[in-house]
Amino acid sequence: MSRPSESHAGLPEPPPQHDGRPAVPVQSCRPAPARAGARSRGLDRFNTASPAATEAALLGCCGSRRWAQRLAAHRPYPDLDALLAAADEAGYDLAPADLAEALAAEDSPGLHHAAPPSAHLALSAAHAAYECRFGHVFVICLDAFLPSEHPDQVLAGIRARLGHDPDEERVITADEMRRLARGRIIELLTDKDPADTPWGLDTP
């Protein structure tokens, strides 16, 4: 399923989780900065925070505990590129149970409350059909599209992927989760005043 994030097409932020874990943002991710390999204050804080604080922050990027623990255990990272590569590798190694745990933390992308009722009904029906077929929420990374295009892309994506068999859709879903996690890590490490960081890392 939290740190502030830009939700798709003005989507509402997800409700807080009640199991002690940070809520995962609603399927939003950010493009990498121009110099992804450069050191940043955010990366320095990430490298020096306690394992518990780092794992909690990473669970806001991907809801798999094994994924978060693996990334936290392999610190320090020399630059953002190295961290993103490690995140991808850990994502490829997720077992089905780990992927299911990550998906359980996600919220289905929706519409702004001011959208027409017919649009809400169409998207709700599409989500219900997808979840009935595959047993988990629909996830998609929309970095390549303008915010105004996100609702149509979500609906089109669901309709297209409903035709997949479960094994094919599992592969696509895992890839979308990796892309989402990358963008969320980039946003997590964006330079900002430590007092404003959403992770609350206990750095020296």
Side-chain angles (χ1 to χ4, degrees):
M1 327 37 322
S2 154
R3 58 178 174 74
S5 66
E6 178 184 2
S7 55
H8 290 161
L11 306 182
E13 293 298 320
Q17 304 245 343
H18 299 292
D19 60 359
R21 294 196 305 172
V24 175
V26 180
Q27 299 188 19
S28 63
C29 53
R30 302 292 179 88
R35 297 181 59 200
R39 286 294 295 253
S40 69
R41 290 177 298 169
L43 181 62
D44 289 338
R45 292 194 293 271
F46 179 89
N47 280 333
T48 57
S50 71
T54 307
E55 289 171 19
L58 287 168
L59 283 170
C61 301
C62 174
S64 164
R65 291 186 182 275
R66 191 165 78 93
W67 179 89
Q69 290 167 353
R70 176 170 168 175
L71 289 185
H74 284 79
R75 295 175 300 158
Y77 295 93
D79 52 43
L80 180 57
D81 283 338
L83 173 56
L84 294 177
D88 281 344
E89 182 179 358
Y92 282 113
D93 289 344
L94 288 182
D98 300 317
L99 180 60
E101 181 185 29
L103 287 169
E106 294 285 332
D107 287 303
S108 300
L111 297 174
H112 191 274
H113 65 83
S118 59
H120 283 285
L121 287 173
L123 189 58
S124 294
H127 278 304
Y130 180 92
E131 293 176 24
C132 180
R133 175 160 173 73
F134 297 112
H136 58 76
V137 300
F138 175 78
V139 292
I140 187 170
C141 181
L142 296 171
D143 286 349
F145 301 96
L146 296 172
S148 60
E149 300 175 306
H150 290 180
D152 287 341
Q153 290 299 323
V154 170
L155 188 56
I158 293 175
R159 289 171 173 167
R161 287 162 59 182
L162 276 171
H164 295 162
D165 62 55
D167 288 341
E168 182 182 12
E169 181 59 20
R170 189 177 301 111
V171 171
I172 293 174
T173 296
D175 186 58
E176 295 294 331
M177 287 296 300
R178 285 189 293 272
R179 294 173 63 199
L180 289 167
R182 284 176 63 92
R184 291 166 180 172
I185 288 172
I186 291 166
E187 185 177 1
L188 184 70
L189 300 189
T190 299
D191 283 341
K192 59 189 75 177
D193 188 306
D196 297 330
T197 181
W199 0 330
L201 296 183
D202 50 346
T203 51

